[in-house]
Amino acid sequence: MYNRASLAGASEADSVSLFMCKIPRTGCLLALVAIFAMSGCKSTTEQSAPAPERTAPNPTSVVEANLRQAEGTRENVQQARGYLQSLERLLELGEAERVEQAVQRMLAEKPGELTLAEALDPVSRYQFDAIRLDIAMAAGNKPEIHRLLATLDPQGGEQTRHSMTLRARALSAIGDVAESARVLIALADTTTDPAALGGLSAAIWRNLTQLPALELRSQAEAASTPTARAWWMLASHFNEAVTSRGQINQWQRWRNRHPDHPAARHPPPSLGRFTRDPGQLALLVPVTGDFGAAGEAVRDGFLAAYLHAGGNSQRVAIYDTNTMSVRAAYDLARQQGAEVIVGPLQREAVTAFAALSPTLPAIVLNHLDPDTAAPDTMIQFSLAIEDQASAIAEALAEEDIERIVLFDSPARWSGRARARLEDELDGVEAVGFGTFHRLAEITDIVGRALHISESQTRVREIESLLGRTLEFAPRRRDDVDAVVALIDADEFLSLMPALDFHFAGDLPVFAPSTATLGTVDLSRLEGLRICAMPWTLDAGTLGETVNNAFPASRGSYASLFALGVDGFRLANQLDRLTVQRQVIPGSTGVLSLGEDGRIRRSLVWAQVIGGRLVPMWDAAN
């Protein structure tokens, strides 16, 4: 089809060919002869004038012209349609600034008039809101994503399917990968196209493999269909396996039980990418001396994972870094055939190990100082309190908390946690502070942070002016949304009643896992929200098999035991971690490798309910 624009831009040769196609062949030949004869009669010195160059109109200019035309239209509905069409074209052109301007114009309010967005018909309004949701995702604007997800209103089957895909992407972008997986599973149940099913299968699996096994088990129990339940259980068994061989076995067993499942007929690509587990591992930790108890807990967790995995095709050698130097331990491990090193544990030993420039891949169980360069072969993995501070900052943002009262202690770990928390508070203001030096001072410190003493002082001043005693109930400050306490278990046992005493028992209290270390009575911490390791909430089948054999798997050394379990897990899944860059749900958290060679841990939130820790996804039900 030709249009005026294409004809206007045609060259002279194009015009001739268009002319020729309208007359008989004989006429065409005569016309050509006449043309050549006329050109032959011209002087050889005469230069024909060059045809003027014609350029295609600038796409952005065309869009701006359309916008001006829409603006000049008096009827809101026509204006709205014109703006929506221009907005879609601007998006295609990547004109981010003009896109934002067009969106704001469509949302602009005028007294007594509908906005252009409100003037759209329902089908077009969905298209507009879908564009806004895409823009919010690109900008990482989580509050806007939440708002748009709540109002997205697709019309008809095609938009409904599109909205499910869009919703799943948006949920994944804000970190709700469980809900994203649920939406995609429901979409896959109504899809028959093999190519579409393959893409959905891969997307579902990407979400599921980011969740800890205990959440997957909980989701499986609540699943509404057998197909959905099978998805959740596949991921649960897969994520619980600590070796690549174990994951292959879990996948094959599941596939044999569910041959007609979408995942069996259209396997996610990553389920076909497995590598060989290392033939020999070396664990470098102190098992004697001052750090012997900590090293033994790590060793026991490492061996428990090894035994749980079968332990038939691998060898494990343990080197006591208290009785030999790090260099001697590493050299001996290499000579004896180690393929992957796990450890050392103490920070000084890790620094000495880094100085060796090891050629074998190594997962050290502590962090180097920030100004110390790490070899490319070395991954740093530890139970850093900073990970929990980051999780608390993220949780505050997720719940739209704007103002907090913050308590800490003189302990070094508490200071490090507070520094990380304050560095990552985004839009959250700390309006009150308190440091607990002695347990006996906690009630007074809480009162000062909540301005109770100021309230009492004001009343005394009024009583002095009036010359009589007033009936008075002190009031805490009313500009606080939550309390964050970076303190240990004993201090929490004093903090919770102090908050009640000062009329702040209704405020949500966020805490690191230090709040529940040891044998603390959880019934005295009712309502407390705790950032915890998956291991401390539900150790899964591995925990069930090792609790009696390994006392360190519970109690005050449980976190170090879980560190040993994950040390073994990462040593056997190095390709997934370093090459495929996948996250690995573990016993200490959902683990991912940062660009700096450090493992990042995403932790699980739990709440004390009825004297026990309940994962937040269960507490909400």
Side-chain angles (χ1 to χ4, degrees), residues 267-279:
S270 62
L271 282 175
R273 295 197 297 264
F274 290 101
T275 56
R276 180 186 66 86
D277 293 324

Side-chain angles (χ1 to χ4, degrees), residues 45 67 198 265 287 301 477 536 545:
T45 59
L67 285 171
R265 291 184 287 110
V287 292
R477 62 191 305 166
T536 61
T545 60

Side-chain angles (χ1 to χ4, degrees), residues 360-399:
L360 292 178
I363 303 164
V364 297
L365 304 178
N366 212 317
H367 283 163
L368 292 168
D369 291 331
D371 56 350
T372 303
D376 292 338
T377 56
M378 195 172 88
I379 294 170
Q380 301 172 61
F381 175 39
S382 75
L383 304 179
I385 191 63
E386 288 86 349
D387 292 334
Q388 299 188 50
S390 295
I392 292 172
E394 184 176 347
L396 296 174
E398 286 291 332
E399 298 198 24

Side-chain angles (χ1 to χ4, degrees), residues 177-402:
V177 293
E179 185 60 28
S180 176
R182 271 193 293 272
V183 172
L184 291 172
I185 289 170
L187 181 58
D189 281 345
T190 65
T191 301
T192 57
D193 177 59
L197 275 171
L200 286 171
S201 182
I204 291 167
W205 191 244
R206 277 195 301 272
N207 283 324
L208 296 182
T209 49
Q210 297 181 54
L211 295 169
L214 73 161
E215 183 172 0
L216 292 165
R217 288 193 295 274
S218 176
Q219 296 290 354
E221 292 173 2
S224 58
T225 67
T227 300
R229 188 175 301 110
W231 268 115
W232 297 106
M233 289 309 301
L234 167 61
S236 173
H237 295 322
F238 183 90
N239 287 352
E240 269 199 296
V242 291
T243 64
S244 292
R245 170 52 56 188
Q247 291 174 337
I248 293 171
N249 292 340
Q250 292 289 359
W251 161 237
Q252 291 174 343
R253 281 196 291 268
W254 181 92
R255 197 174 188 181
N256 290 337
R257 290 195 300 269
H258 304 277
D260 296 324
H261 191 276
R265 291 184 287 110
H266 305 278
S270 62
L271 282 175
R273 295 197 297 264
F274 290 101
T275 56
R276 180 186 66 86
D277 293 324
Q280 182 165 324
L281 304 176
L283 178 64
L284 279 60
V285 291
V287 292
T288 59
D290 293 340
F291 290 91
E296 284 181 343
V298 173
R299 177 202 64 190
D300 289 353
F302 194 89
L303 291 177
Y306 167 74
L307 295 171
H308 181 72
N312 296 325
S313 59
Q314 274 184 326
R315 293 183 58 206
V316 168
I318 300 169
Y319 303 86
D320 184 358
T321 55
N322 182 61
T323 60
M324 66 176 74
S325 69
V326 169
R327 175 182 289 277
Y330 172 69
D331 288 343
L332 185 57
R334 188 173 53 179
Q335 292 168 13
Q336 293 180 342
E339 296 179 40
V340 179
I341 305 292
V342 179
L345 179 62
Q346 299 135 286
R347 177 166 288 195
E348 296 80 4
V350 168
T351 302
F353 184 81
L356 301 176
S357 299
T359 55
L360 292 178
I363 303 164
V364 297
L365 304 178
N366 212 317
H367 283 163
L368 292 168
D369 291 331
D371 56 350
T372 303
D376 292 338
T377 56
M378 195 172 88
I379 294 170
Q380 301 172 61
F381 175 39
S382 75
L383 304 179
I385 191 63
E386 288 86 349
D387 292 334
Q388 299 188 50
S390 295
I392 292 172
E394 184 176 347
L396 296 174
E398 286 291 332
E399 298 198 24
D400 294 328
I401 288 171
E402 297 179 354

